[in-house]
PDB file of all heavy atoms in Angstrom:
ATOM      1  N   ASP A  40      80.806  91.694  92.537  1.00 84.00           N
ATOM      2  CA  ASP A  40      81.050  90.966  93.751  1.00 84.00           C
ATOM      3  C   ASP A  40      82.443  90.498  93.961  1.00 84.00           C
ATOM      4  O   ASP A  40      83.337  90.816  93.139  1.00 84.00           O
ATOM      5  CB  ASP A  40      80.030  89.865  93.962  1.00 84.00           C
ATOM      6  CG  ASP A  40      80.193  88.823  92.780  1.00 84.00           C
ATOM      7  OD1 ASP A  40      81.286  88.695  92.287  1.00 84.00           O
ATOM      8  OD2 ASP A  40      79.127  88.168  92.494  1.00 84.00           O
ATOM      9  N   TYR A  41      82.670  89.772  94.997  1.00 83.00           N
ATOM     10  CA  TYR A  41      83.994  89.248  95.376  1.00 83.00           C
ATOM     11  C   TYR A  41      84.647  88.513  94.239  1.00 83.00           C
ATOM     12  O   TYR A  41      85.791  88.717  93.894  1.00 83.00           O
ATOM     13  CB  TYR A  41      83.824  88.322  96.548  1.00 83.00           C
ATOM     14  CG  TYR A  41      84.982  87.385  96.782  1.00 83.00           C
ATOM     15  CD1 TYR A  41      86.188  87.814  97.437  1.00 83.00           C
ATOM     16  CD2 TYR A  41      84.948  86.026  96.379  1.00 83.00           C
ATOM     17  CE1 TYR A  41      87.189  86.935  97.697  1.00 83.00           C
ATOM     18  CE2 TYR A  41      86.003  85.134  96.570  1.00 83.00           C
ATOM     19  CZ  TYR A  41      87.046  85.574  97.213  1.00 83.00           C
ATOM     20  OH  TYR A  41      88.128  84.711  97.432  1.00 83.00           O
ATOM     21  N   HIS A  42      83.836  87.650  93.531  1.00 87.00           N
ATOM     22  CA  HIS A  42      84.441  86.808  92.472  1.00 87.00           C
ATOM     23  C   HIS A  42      84.876  87.740  91.285  1.00 87.00           C
ATOM     24  O   HIS A  42      85.903  87.471  90.612  1.00 87.00           O
ATOM     25  CB  HIS A  42      83.425  85.785  91.986  1.00 87.00           C
ATOM     26  CG  HIS A  42      83.067  84.797  93.007  1.00 87.00           C
ATOM     27  ND1 HIS A  42      83.984  83.776  93.350  1.00 87.00           N
ATOM     28  CD2 HIS A  42      82.014  84.613  93.791  1.00 87.00           C
ATOM     29  CE1 HIS A  42      83.396  83.007  94.309  1.00 87.00           C
ATOM     30  NE2 HIS A  42      82.204  83.553  94.601  1.00 87.00           N
ATOM     31  N   ASP A  43      84.086  88.706  91.007  1.00 89.00           N
ATOM     32  CA  ASP A  43      84.462  89.611  89.882  1.00 89.00           C
ATOM     33  C   ASP A  43      85.747  90.405  90.140  1.00 89.00           C
ATOM     34  O   ASP A  43      86.570  90.508  89.210  1.00 89.00           O
ATOM     35  CB  ASP A  43      83.321  90.677  89.694  1.00 89.00           C
ATOM     36  CG  ASP A  43      81.968  90.020  89.382  1.00 89.00           C
ATOM     37  OD1 ASP A  43      81.938  89.010  88.706  1.00 89.00           O
ATOM     38  OD2 ASP A  43      80.967  90.578  89.770  1.00 89.00           O
ATOM     39  N   VAL A  44      85.942  90.873  91.405  1.00 90.00           N
ATOM     40  CA  VAL A  44      87.115  91.649  91.670  1.00 90.00           C
ATOM     41  C   VAL A  44      88.310  90.644  91.672  1.00 90.00           C
ATOM     42  O   VAL A  44      89.425  91.006  91.172  1.00 90.00           O
ATOM     43  CB  VAL A  44      86.993  92.293  93.023  1.00 90.00           C
ATOM     44  CG1 VAL A  44      88.314  92.938  93.409  1.00 90.00           C
ATOM     45  CG2 VAL A  44      85.918  93.358  92.982  1.00 90.00           C
ATOM     46  N   GLU A  45      88.150  89.449  92.237  1.00 91.00           N
ATOM     47  CA  GLU A  45      89.216  88.482  92.206  1.00 91.00           C
ATOM     48  C   GLU A  45      89.627  88.098  90.781  1.00 91.00           C
ATOM     49  O   GLU A  45      90.822  87.989  90.489  1.00 91.00           O
ATOM     50  CB  GLU A  45      88.750  87.186  92.933  1.00 91.00           C
ATOM     51  CG  GLU A  45      88.671  87.320  94.418  1.00 91.00           C
ATOM     52  CD  GLU A  45      90.059  87.241  95.017  1.00 91.00           C
ATOM     53  OE1 GLU A  45      90.824  86.312  94.780  1.00 91.00           O
ATOM     54  OE2 GLU A  45      90.432  88.230  95.778  1.00 91.00           O
ATOM     55  N   LYS A  46      88.642  87.922  89.872  1.00 92.00           N
ATOM     56  CA  LYS A  46      88.982  87.591  88.508  1.00 92.00           C
ATOM     57  C   LYS A  46      89.741  88.709  87.826  1.00 92.00           C
ATOM     58  O   LYS A  46      90.694  88.479  87.116  1.00 92.00           O
ATOM     59  CB  LYS A  46      87.723  87.191  87.799  1.00 92.00           C
ATOM     60  CG  LYS A  46      87.924  87.024  86.282  1.00 92.00           C
ATOM     61  CD  LYS A  46      86.735  86.595  85.559  1.00 92.00           C
ATOM     62  CE  LYS A  46      86.891  86.599  84.024  1.00 92.00           C
ATOM     63  NZ  LYS A  46      88.036  85.841  83.538  1.00 92.00           N
ATOM     64  N   ALA A  47      89.240  89.919  87.988  1.00 94.00           N
ATOM     65  CA  ALA A  47      89.792  91.090  87.350  1.00 94.00           C
ATOM     66  C   ALA A  47      91.252  91.240  87.816  1.00 94.00           C
ATOM     67  O   ALA A  47      92.203  91.530  87.070  1.00 94.00           O
ATOM     68  CB  ALA A  47      89.064  92.336  87.673  1.00 94.00           C
ATOM     69  N   ALA A  48      91.494  91.072  89.111  1.00 94.00           N
ATOM     70  CA  ALA A  48      92.871  91.289  89.678  1.00 94.00           C
ATOM     71  C   ALA A  48      93.822  90.133  89.193  1.00 94.00           C
ATOM     72  O   ALA A  48      94.917  90.371  88.756  1.00 94.00           O
ATOM     73  CB  ALA A  48      92.837  91.278  91.219  1.00 94.00           C
ATOM     74  N   SER A  49      93.303  88.927  89.245  1.00 95.00           N
ATOM     75  CA  SER A  49      94.106  87.755  88.860  1.00 95.00           C
ATOM     76  C   SER A  49      94.482  87.778  87.377  1.00 95.00           C
ATOM     77  O   SER A  49      95.630  87.639  87.038  1.00 95.00           O
ATOM     78  CB  SER A  49      93.382  86.472  89.229  1.00 95.00           C
ATOM     79  OG  SER A  49      94.075  85.344  88.770  1.00 95.00           O
ATOM     80  N   ASP A  50      93.474  88.107  86.511  1.00 96.00           N
ATOM     81  CA  ASP A  50      93.733  88.147  85.088  1.00 96.00           C
ATOM     82  C   ASP A  50      94.736  89.243  84.735  1.00 96.00           C
ATOM     83  O   ASP A  50      95.596  89.161  83.858  1.00 96.00           O
ATOM     84  CB  ASP A  50      92.452  88.318  84.330  1.00 96.00           C
ATOM     85  CG  ASP A  50      91.580  87.127  84.357  1.00 96.00           C
ATOM     86  OD1 ASP A  50      91.984  86.042  84.914  1.00 96.00           O
ATOM     87  OD2 ASP A  50      90.512  87.128  83.765  1.00 96.00           O
ATOM     88  N   SER A  51      94.581  90.412  85.428  1.00 96.00           N
ATOM     89  CA  SER A  51      95.489  91.529  85.200  1.00 96.00           C
ATOM     90  C   SER A  51      96.868  91.242  85.563  1.00 96.00           C
ATOM     91  O   SER A  51      97.876  91.503  84.806  1.00 96.00           O
ATOM     92  CB  SER A  51      94.974  92.792  85.940  1.00 96.00           C
ATOM     93  OG  SER A  51      93.706  93.188  85.467  1.00 96.00           O
ATOM     94  N   VAL A  52      97.133  90.586  86.723  1.00 95.00           N
ATOM     95  CA  VAL A  52      98.397  90.290  87.146  1.00 95.00           C
ATOM     96  C   VAL A  52      99.050  89.190  86.276  1.00 95.00           C
ATOM     97  O   VAL A  52     100.295  89.336  85.949  1.00 95.00           O
ATOM     98  CB  VAL A  52      98.401  89.789  88.661  1.00 95.00           C
ATOM     99  CG1 VAL A  52      99.769  89.260  89.003  1.00 95.00           C
ATOM    100  CG2 VAL A  52      98.036  90.927  89.522  1.00 95.00           C
ATOM    101  N   GLN A  53      98.320  88.259  85.840  1.00 96.00           N
ATOM    102  CA  GLN A  53      98.785  87.268  84.918  1.00 96.00           C
ATOM    103  C   GLN A  53      99.269  87.867  83.588  1.00 96.00           C
ATOM    104  O   GLN A  53     100.325  87.517  82.998  1.00 96.00           O
ATOM    105  CB  GLN A  53      97.828  86.178  84.602  1.00 96.00           C
ATOM    106  CG  GLN A  53      97.520  85.275  85.811  1.00 96.00           C
ATOM    107  CD  GLN A  53      98.784  84.620  86.345  1.00 96.00           C
ATOM    108  OE1 GLN A  53      99.516  84.006  85.575  1.00 96.00           O
ATOM    109  NE2 GLN A  53      98.990  84.704  87.678  1.00 96.00           N
ATOM    110  N   SER A  54      98.498  88.918  83.145  1.00 96.00           N
ATOM    111  CA  SER A  54      98.835  89.578  81.889  1.00 96.00           C
ATOM    112  C   SER A  54     100.181  90.356  82.121  1.00 96.00           C
ATOM    113  O   SER A  54     101.048  90.437  81.285  1.00 96.00           O
ATOM    114  CB  SER A  54      97.720  90.573  81.551  1.00 96.00           C
ATOM    115  OG  SER A  54      98.186  91.513  80.578  1.00 96.00           O
ATOM    116  N   LEU A  55     100.339  90.998  83.278  1.00 96.00           N
ATOM    117  CA  LEU A  55     101.511  91.800  83.580  1.00 96.00           C
ATOM    118  C   LEU A  55     102.774  90.869  83.671  1.00 96.00           C
ATOM    119  O   LEU A  55     103.775  91.229  83.101  1.00 96.00           O
ATOM    120  CB  LEU A  55     101.292  92.588  84.926  1.00 96.00           C
ATOM    121  CG  LEU A  55     102.627  93.207  85.475  1.00 96.00           C
ATOM    122  CD1 LEU A  55     103.098  94.335  84.643  1.00 96.00           C
ATOM    123  CD2 LEU A  55     102.319  93.758  86.859  1.00 96.00           C
ATOM    124  N   LEU A  56     102.619  89.809  84.377  1.00 94.00           N
ATOM    125  CA  LEU A  56     103.820  88.866  84.547  1.00 94.00           C
ATOM    126  C   LEU A  56     104.205  88.185  83.291  1.00 94.00           C
ATOM    127  O   LEU A  56     105.423  87.826  83.153  1.00 94.00           O
ATOM    128  CB  LEU A  56     103.471  87.830  85.671  1.00 94.00           C
ATOM    129  CG  LEU A  56     103.161  88.341  87.013  1.00 94.00           C
ATOM    130  CD1 LEU A  56     102.968  87.253  88.042  1.00 94.00           C
ATOM    131  CD2 LEU A  56     104.354  89.200  87.540  1.00 94.00           C
ATOM    132  N   LYS A  57     103.337  88.203  82.301  1.00 95.00           N
ATOM    133  CA  LYS A  57     103.665  87.597  81.016  1.00 95.00           C
ATOM    134  C   LYS A  57     104.136  88.647  80.024  1.00 95.00           C
ATOM    135  O   LYS A  57     104.460  88.311  78.902  1.00 95.00           O
ATOM    136  CB  LYS A  57     102.445  86.819  80.417  1.00 95.00           C
ATOM    137  CG  LYS A  57     102.112  85.593  81.255  1.00 95.00           C
ATOM    138  CD  LYS A  57     100.880  84.968  80.645  1.00 95.00           C
ATOM    139  CE  LYS A  57     100.390  83.738  81.403  1.00 95.00           C
ATOM    140  NZ  LYS A  57      99.151  83.125  80.876  1.00 95.00           N
ATOM    141  N   SER A  58     104.094  89.908  80.380  1.00 96.00           N
ATOM    142  CA  SER A  58     104.381  91.017  79.449  1.00 96.00           C
ATOM    143  C   SER A  58     105.879  91.115  79.179  1.00 96.00           C
ATOM    144  O   SER A  58     106.706  90.583  79.973  1.00 96.00           O
ATOM    145  CB  SER A  58     103.884  92.416  80.119  1.00 96.00           C
ATOM    146  OG  SER A  58     104.703  92.698  81.218  1.00 96.00           O
ATOM    147  N   ALA A  59     106.198  91.673  78.063  1.00 94.00           N
ATOM    148  CA  ALA A  59     107.612  91.876  77.719  1.00 94.00           C
ATOM    149  C   ALA A  59     108.318  92.701  78.732  1.00 94.00           C
ATOM    150  O   ALA A  59     109.511  92.439  79.021  1.00 94.00           O
ATOM    151  CB  ALA A  59     107.709  92.570  76.312  1.00 94.00           C
ATOM    152  N   TYR A  60     107.634  93.663  79.345  1.00 95.00           N
ATOM    153  CA  TYR A  60     108.302  94.493  80.359  1.00 95.00           C
ATOM    154  C   TYR A  60     108.872  93.665  81.497  1.00 95.00           C
ATOM    155  O   TYR A  60     110.064  93.810  81.911  1.00 95.00           O
ATOM    156  CB  TYR A  60     107.386  95.614  80.910  1.00 95.00           C
ATOM    157  CG  TYR A  60     107.947  96.356  82.055  1.00 95.00           C
ATOM    158  CD1 TYR A  60     108.869  97.290  81.862  1.00 95.00           C
ATOM    159  CD2 TYR A  60     107.497  96.071  83.349  1.00 95.00           C
ATOM    160  CE1 TYR A  60     109.434  97.997  82.932  1.00 95.00           C
ATOM    161  CE2 TYR A  60     107.992  96.820  84.399  1.00 95.00           C
ATOM    162  CZ  TYR A  60     108.980  97.739  84.235  1.00 95.00           C
ATOM    163  OH  TYR A  60     109.541  98.417  85.263  1.00 95.00           O
ATOM    164  N   VAL A  61     108.027  92.829  82.105  1.00 95.00           N
ATOM    165  CA  VAL A  61     108.438  92.022  83.174  1.00 95.00           C
ATOM    166  C   VAL A  61     109.533  90.996  82.730  1.00 95.00           C
ATOM    167  O   VAL A  61     110.537  90.694  83.506  1.00 95.00           O
ATOM    168  CB  VAL A  61     107.257  91.324  83.934  1.00 95.00           C
ATOM    169  CG1 VAL A  61     107.687  90.286  84.945  1.00 95.00           C
ATOM    170  CG2 VAL A  61     106.314  92.368  84.524  1.00 95.00           C
ATOM    171  N   LYS A  62     109.319  90.400  81.641  1.00 92.00           N
ATOM    172  CA  LYS A  62     110.281  89.383  81.130  1.00 92.00           C
ATOM    173  C   LYS A  62     111.707  89.987  80.957  1.00 92.00           C
ATOM    174  O   LYS A  62     112.702  89.279  81.086  1.00 92.00           O
ATOM    175  CB  LYS A  62     109.787  88.756  79.835  1.00 92.00           C
ATOM    176  CG  LYS A  62     108.558  87.824  80.024  1.00 92.00           C
ATOM    177  CD  LYS A  62     108.117  87.206  78.759  1.00 92.00           C
ATOM    178  CE  LYS A  62     106.973  86.231  78.996  1.00 92.00           C
ATOM    179  NZ  LYS A  62     106.494  85.658  77.722  1.00 92.00           N
ATOM    180  N   ASN A  63     111.731  91.263  80.646  1.00 91.00           N
ATOM    181  CA  ASN A  63     113.033  91.920  80.362  1.00 91.00           C
ATOM    182  C   ASN A  63     113.698  92.413  81.682  1.00 91.00           C
ATOM    183  O   ASN A  63     114.784  92.907  81.616  1.00 91.00           O
ATOM    184  CB  ASN A  63     112.793  93.101  79.414  1.00 91.00           C
ATOM    185  CG  ASN A  63     112.543  92.638  77.970  1.00 91.00           C
ATOM    186  OD1 ASN A  63     112.908  91.514  77.599  1.00 91.00           O
ATOM    187  ND2 ASN A  63     111.829  93.411  77.230  1.00 91.00           N
ATOM    188  N   LEU A  64     113.015  92.329  82.817  1.00 89.00           N
ATOM    189  CA  LEU A  64     113.586  92.685  84.068  1.00 89.00           C
ATOM    190  C   LEU A  64     114.672  91.767  84.433  1.00 89.00           C
ATOM    191  O   LEU A  64     114.446  90.479  84.374  1.00 89.00           O
ATOM    192  CB  LEU A  64     112.545  92.838  85.137  1.00 89.00           C
ATOM    193  CG  LEU A  64     111.500  93.943  85.035  1.00 89.00           C
ATOM    194  CD1 LEU A  64     110.477  93.789  86.168  1.00 89.00           C
ATOM    195  CD2 LEU A  64     112.117  95.312  85.037  1.00 89.00           C
ATOM    196  N   SER A  65     115.833  92.228  84.754  1.00 78.00           N
ATOM    197  CA  SER A  65     116.952  91.308  85.122  1.00 78.00           C
ATOM    198  C   SER A  65     116.589  90.617  86.429  1.00 78.00           C
ATOM    199  O   SER A  65     116.072  91.198  87.389  1.00 78.00           O
ATOM    200  CB  SER A  65     118.245  92.143  85.316  1.00 78.00           C
ATOM    201  OG  SER A  65     119.267  91.317  85.891  1.00 78.00           O
ATOM    202  N   ARG A  66     116.960  89.348  86.507  1.00 76.00           N
ATOM    203  CA  ARG A  66     116.788  88.570  87.762  1.00 76.00           C
ATOM    204  C   ARG A  66     117.691  89.109  88.809  1.00 76.00           C
ATOM    205  O   ARG A  66     117.383  88.861  90.019  1.00 76.00           O
ATOM    206  CB  ARG A  66     117.211  87.122  87.480  1.00 76.00           C
ATOM    207  CG  ARG A  66     116.195  86.368  86.523  1.00 76.00           C
ATOM    208  CD  ARG A  66     116.622  84.892  86.387  1.00 76.00           C
ATOM    209  NE  ARG A  66     115.651  84.234  85.514  1.00 76.00           N
ATOM    210  CZ  ARG A  66     115.798  82.943  85.151  1.00 76.00           C
ATOM    211  NH1 ARG A  66     116.754  82.238  85.738  1.00 76.00           N
ATOM    212  NH2 ARG A  66     114.903  82.330  84.449  1.00 76.00           N
TER     213      ARG A  66
END
Side-chain angles (χ1 to χ4, degrees):
D40 58 27
Y41 161 82
H42 296 286
D43 301 324
V44 175
E45 284 285 306
K46 173 177 171 52
S49 178
D50 289 358
S51 295
V52 171
Q53 290 305 309
S54 167
L55 171 63
L56 297 181
K57 293 177 182 178
S58 69
Y60 172 73
V61 171
K62 289 182 178 179
N63 288 333
L64 293 177
S65 170
R66 293 183 179 180

